[in-house]
Amino acid sequence: MKTLKKSGLSKEEMIQAYYEVKRGRRLDERLWQLTRIGKTSFNISGQGAEVAQVAMAMAFEHDKDIFLPYYRDMTACLVWGMTSKDIILGSFGKDADPSSHGRQMPNHYGSKEHNIVSFASTVSTQMPLATGVAYAAQLEGKDYIALTTTGEGSANQGEVQEAMNFAGVKKLPVIFVVENNNYAISVPIEEQYANENMSDRAHGYGFEGITVDGNDFTEVYLTFKKAVKDARSGKGPKLIELKVYRLTSHSADDDQTIYRSKEDIEKMKESDPIDVFEKQLIDEGYLTQADMDKMDEEIRAEIDKATDEAEAMPDSAPESLLDEVYAK
Amino acid sequence: MAEMTYLEAINLGISEEMARDEKVVIFGEDVGGDKGGVFGVTKGLAAKYGDNRCFNTPLTEGLIGGLAVGLGVMGYRAIGEFQFADYILPATNQILSEARTMRYRTKGDWTAPIVYRTPYGGGVRGGLYHSQSTEKIFAGQPGLRVVTPSNPYDAKGMIKAAIRSDDPVIFYEHKRLYRLLKAEVPTDDYIVPIDKANVVREGSDITVISYGMMLQYAISAAEKLAKEGIDAEVVDVRSLYPLDRETLVNAAKKTGKILLVTEDNKEGSIMSEIAAMISEDALFDLDAPIKRLAGPDAPSMGYSLTLEREFLVNEDQVIEAMIELAEY
């Protein structure tokens, strides 16, 4: 594993990275809690992928690059600019929810203000959209990039092949990401694809594919930094596979103990990437345990406040059901 | 004014919009270069507006569907061409899950103004997969507009209106009309609304409602029968979804005798919905049961000329049905 120093990030940036990682975990825990006590009805989690998502997202310019995420990318959306309150508003399905104003299930992140494009639940349909966004950049002669993510299960959809093929032909500034957490709900990778790495597929489309250990903050960050530089300078797309953990069940409606062994789950939890990252931060002198505890308290307070504020917001007016079916 | 075919009228309409607004781009299989599409509808556009704004895609309908949405969210007005209406099916997920709902699922934060163009209809020895009327698949899908012009004047005015529309529009072009119809078309800027049916002939005895090629039979039949004392009102549906309920119901009320003619299968077609609307709103104005003249409930016409003719409604059948209705 590479040292954090090798990332080239400043101390402040590295502390910010840790804040985003920890906020992602604590916020997700809150979303589960709200589901369990019956205040919300659904959650789908990115726990285990926070370090990878923060390292990925930090390589982009959030005020100009366009993000087309999938449902586990809450932490990356936070880095892109969404707030804890934005996320909780979506979980409650409030009218002020920037993702969909209460129209989509939770975890369907989007924000016009923050350049995060809404996505459908039909997995990986955002990938062809990302080529459209990238083609727009090429047409306008601008240097913004499209980043789009999906899981290793949904990467098998036909539209992913169509999108990558076109992106390769046109050398589009788009970065395709597969967050490989080994399970498509309950289906293990052995039953999902036959090649060794998902990233091998990129070679068939004429661009580079890279597989990265998602627990290695520096490796993920530098990989994306290079991919961003290449895409911005007209060198075309990349496929980046992030090997990550899925610490939770697929969703609030799933129970992974049915299809994963206790030992497997325990082993995975013991090597939680946040623990690994914290150890690196302490060892390399970025933060002390006391600093982290203090930050954790601040994050918990932020999330408590966001929860209270979001819960107090009004629900959608019933008659708004008919709003925006068509343009006026 | 200039005399032009239905096909030339669509080409001119697109060309005028591309000249007016540089955000209008067009793409699809064979669309770019000197070929200009399988039927030549986009001929000359690449030369006029550049290979970036009029370009070929690989053979990937899903991509065509999604590329348009991605361009749409970035402020472009994308026109995606599908070679045949039968071949839209691989893109149905993109059209229904992404394009149709982008506005609704973000309450207007993100929008995707798109025109998906496609030739449809039979009578060209196209067999099952080059003859189908697939418009019913996209009807009854709020958020989407489905339209088809039936003459060169409408063809130009409606394609321009579709391009300017902020809603995703599926623009059906009857492939037999492409070169069959010639008419005087203004060479200056005008729009034909894409949400209005058109009373093309006023009459007092019976009302014939149709669109596309079948409408041409209805118009011709009405002129012939007028000489025999049957005065038919003829209505062009034009907007297949959402339907222009007011115009259609008023035309039905006017004569009390309704003939619905479609090239599509009898059951489950656009005409089934029109029949239901008339029943709801004008039952007690009717002087005869609503009559439908349509293709049989076989998947589509055969390649063999005998099978194609057997499937297709012809002008003699329209005349016969009109006489029967008038005498009821």
Side-chain angles (χ1 to χ4, degrees):
Chain A
M1 194 167 283
K2 282 198 164 71
T3 62
L4 299 178
K5 288 261 179 321
K6 283 209 169 134
S7 68
L9 290 169
S10 69
K11 187 171 182 185
E12 289 69 31
E13 286 169 322
M14 196 56 79
I15 292 169
Q16 182 66 22
Y18 177 67
Y19 163 77
E20 296 291 9
V21 163
K22 197 74 180 177
R23 182 164 66 137
R25 176 63 58 88
R26 292 289 179 233
L27 186 53
D28 191 73
E29 286 169 353
R30 171 54 49 88
L31 300 181
W32 281 100
Q33 196 182 25
L34 291 170
T35 305
R36 294 288 182 245
I37 62 174
K39 287 203 171 185
T40 62
S41 64
F42 188 73
N43 189 39
I44 192 160
S45 168
Q47 283 191 32
E50 297 95 336
V51 169
Q53 285 183 21
V54 170
M56 167 182 80
M58 281 181 73
F60 291 83
E61 292 183 43
H62 310 118
D63 55 353
K64 77 175 183 190
D65 294 331
I66 310 292
F67 187 25
L68 298 100
Y70 86 127
Y71 48 72
R72 289 199 201 282
D73 271 356
M74 181 191 77
T75 303
C77 289
L78 292 173
V79 177
W80 228 270
M82 290 183 80
T83 65
S84 303
K85 187 178 167 186
D86 289 341
I87 302 292
I88 300 172
L89 281 166
S91 195
F92 279 121
K94 296 288 187 178
D95 197 58
D97 152 39
S99 295
S100 78
H101 305 277
R103 289 178 174 193
Q104 290 229 74
M105 285 177 84
N107 313 102
H108 288 69
Y109 310 109
S111 169
K112 176 88 188 220
E113 184 193 350
H114 296 108
N115 292 336
I116 303 169
V117 179
S118 158
F119 60 98
S121 304
T122 44
V123 291
S124 286
T125 51
Q126 69 274 20
M127 298 245 146
L129 267 64
T131 66
V133 168
Y135 193 83
Q138 211 174 56
L139 266 176
E140 290 174 315
K142 291 190 178 159
D143 70 345
Y144 64 84
I145 297 170
L147 168 68
T148 185
T149 55
T150 199
E152 90 286 349
S154 35
N156 296 310
Q157 291 280 0
E159 279 144 295
V160 177
Q161 121 87 7
E162 296 194 26
M164 288 192 191
N165 179 58
F166 183 69
V169 169
K170 294 284 184 190
K171 280 192 176 302
L172 297 178
V174 52
I175 298 172
F176 299 100
V177 176
V178 176
E179 294 182 25
N180 188 343
N181 62 24
N182 293 321
Y183 285 90
I185 307 186
S186 71
V187 181
I189 50 173
E190 298 77 28
E191 294 179 48
Q192 293 185 55
Y193 59 92
N195 50 343
E196 193 183 334
N197 290 313
M198 272 267 156
S199 63
D200 293 344
R201 294 181 182 183
H203 306 302
Y205 303 119
F207 51 84
E208 191 184 10
I210 309 157
T211 295
V212 190
D213 173 4
N215 294 347
D216 188 335
F217 179 92
T218 299
E219 188 66 40
V220 175
Y221 176 74
L222 292 177
T223 301
F224 277 94
K225 200 78 187 157
K226 164 117 187 2
V228 164
K229 192 175 164 221
D230 286 352
R232 235 187 269 293
S233 59
K235 289 184 185 157
K238 290 263 196 304
L239 168 59
I240 299 174
E241 176 186 20
L242 296 171
K243 294 267 197 184
V244 294
Y245 292 130
R246 195 189 81 195
L247 296 176
T248 63
S249 293
H250 165 74
S251 72
D253 297 328
D254 175 46
D255 176 6
Q256 64 178 349
T257 62
I258 296 167
Y259 52 85
R260 294 177 84 167
S261 70
K262 232 181 183 161
E263 298 74 41
D264 176 29
I265 294 169
E266 283 307 314
K267 205 176 143 212
M268 179 178 65
K269 285 187 174 167
E270 278 165 22
S271 44
D272 187 328
I274 296 189
D275 296 341
V276 176
F277 190 43
E278 285 181 346
K279 188 171 181 308
Q280 281 185 297
L281 288 161
I282 292 169
D283 289 351
E284 294 187 41
Y286 286 98
L287 288 161
T288 63
Q289 187 60 52
D291 295 334
M292 287 177 181
D293 292 345
K294 188 165 171 282
M295 201 185 278
D296 196 24
E297 260 175 55
E298 287 163 9
I299 288 168
R300 285 171 187 275
E302 175 195 324
I303 291 170
D304 284 347
K305 184 165 176 277
T307 307
D308 292 343
E309 286 177 3
E311 194 173 10
M313 294 295 281
D315 293 322
S316 299
E319 60 273 21
S320 71
L321 182 71
L322 295 176
D323 290 351
E324 303 293 347
V325 177
Y326 292 99
K328 284 284 172 289
Chain B
M1 297 281 266
E3 188 171 78
M4 64 184 77
T5 62
Y6 180 92
L7 184 150
E8 288 163 344
I10 295 169
N11 175 279
L12 179 62
I14 295 168
S15 182
E16 285 180 7
E17 291 305 297
M18 289 182 85
R20 188 184 64 83
D21 180 357
E22 63 170 25
K23 294 280 186 186
V24 179
V25 296
I26 186 161
F27 50 85
E29 296 149 10
D30 299 299
V31 162
D34 296 330
K35 176 144 175 80
V38 282
F39 290 96
V41 177
T42 59
K43 209 172 180 56
L45 297 178
K48 254 188 255 177
Y49 304 106
D51 293 332
N52 287 330
R53 288 181 62 200
C54 176
F55 59 96
N56 289 323
T57 62
L59 260 166
T60 45
E61 284 83 11
L63 183 274
I64 293 169
L67 183 67
V69 183
L71 282 160
V73 297
M74 297 310 290
Y76 279 81
R77 291 184 177 269
I79 310 169
E81 177 180 297
F82 298 105
Q83 283 189 336
F84 291 92
D86 320 65
Y87 296 170
I88 295 185
L89 298 181
T92 309
N93 190 27
Q94 285 292 332
I95 296 170
L96 296 186
S97 302
E98 291 283 3
R100 176 177 82 105
T101 54
M102 184 59 81
R103 171 181 291 278
Y104 188 72
R105 71 178 192 235
T106 63
K107 213 177 170 188
D109 289 349
W110 290 104
T111 61
I114 295 162
V115 182
Y116 296 116
R117 291 182 35 247
T118 192
Y120 76 111
V124 293
R125 301 291 308 279
L128 269 71
Y129 293 100
H130 300 77
S131 307
Q132 290 173 77
S133 298
T134 58
E135 60 272 21
K136 67 181 162 209
I137 293 170
F138 302 104
Q141 303 285 355
L144 204 58
R145 293 187 181 280
V146 185
V147 306
T148 187
S150 302
N151 61 66
Y153 179 88
D154 283 1
K156 184 187 160 191
M158 284 173 71
I159 191 71
K160 286 165 71 78
I163 293 167
R164 292 181 199 183
S165 167
D166 290 329
D167 298 313
V169 180
I170 308 193
F171 195 86
Y172 276 89
E173 301 164 8
H174 199 290
K175 64 175 87 70
R176 266 204 77 197
L177 296 181
Y178 271 150
R179 295 175 200 279
L180 185 76
L181 292 187
K182 268 194 162 191
E184 289 292 324
V185 172
T187 48
D188 53 2
D189 187 26
Y190 71 95
I191 289 290
V192 172
I194 52 170
D195 57 358
K196 290 273 175 267
N198 185 26
V199 179
V200 293
R201 187 184 193 283
E202 299 258 3
S204 54
D205 296 330
I206 60 171
T207 297
V208 186
I209 297 175
S210 189
Y211 60 90
M213 187 66 207
M214 297 299 114
L215 181 85
Q216 294 305 320
Y217 294 158
I219 294 169
S220 169
E223 293 307 323
K224 285 173 189 166
L225 290 175
K227 291 175 193 136
E228 295 176 26
I230 298 172
D231 187 20
E233 174 120 342
V234 180
V235 182
D236 183 356
V237 183
R238 292 199 300 203
S239 167
L240 307 181
Y241 190 81
L243 287 160
D244 175 6
R245 188 172 188 126
E246 192 185 357
T247 303
L248 296 170
V249 169
N250 284 345
K253 280 182 178 171
K254 187 172 167 190
T255 68
K257 288 182 173 181
I258 322 302
L259 173 64
L260 308 174
V261 190
T262 179
E263 186 178 323
D264 198 356
N265 309 116
K266 186 165 184 174
E267 293 185 358
S269 75
I270 302 287
M271 291 306 170
S272 309
E273 191 60 35
I274 295 177
M277 280 182 177
I278 293 170
S279 303
E280 278 180 336
D281 291 3
L283 186 66
F284 299 108
D285 296 296
L286 298 185
D287 298 318
I290 297 169
K291 194 174 180 63
R292 283 186 291 168
L293 182 60
D297 292 318
S300 187
M301 54 209 80
Y303 168 68
S304 142
L305 196 55
T306 53
L307 295 177
E308 186 179 77
R309 281 186 181 151
E310 182 61 18
F311 185 96
L312 278 168
V313 170
N314 60 43
E315 191 180 328
D316 289 343
Q317 289 170 319
V318 178
I319 290 173
E320 200 182 317
M322 287 169 71
I323 292 170
E324 265 178 40
L325 193 62
E327 289 173 351
Y328 185 90

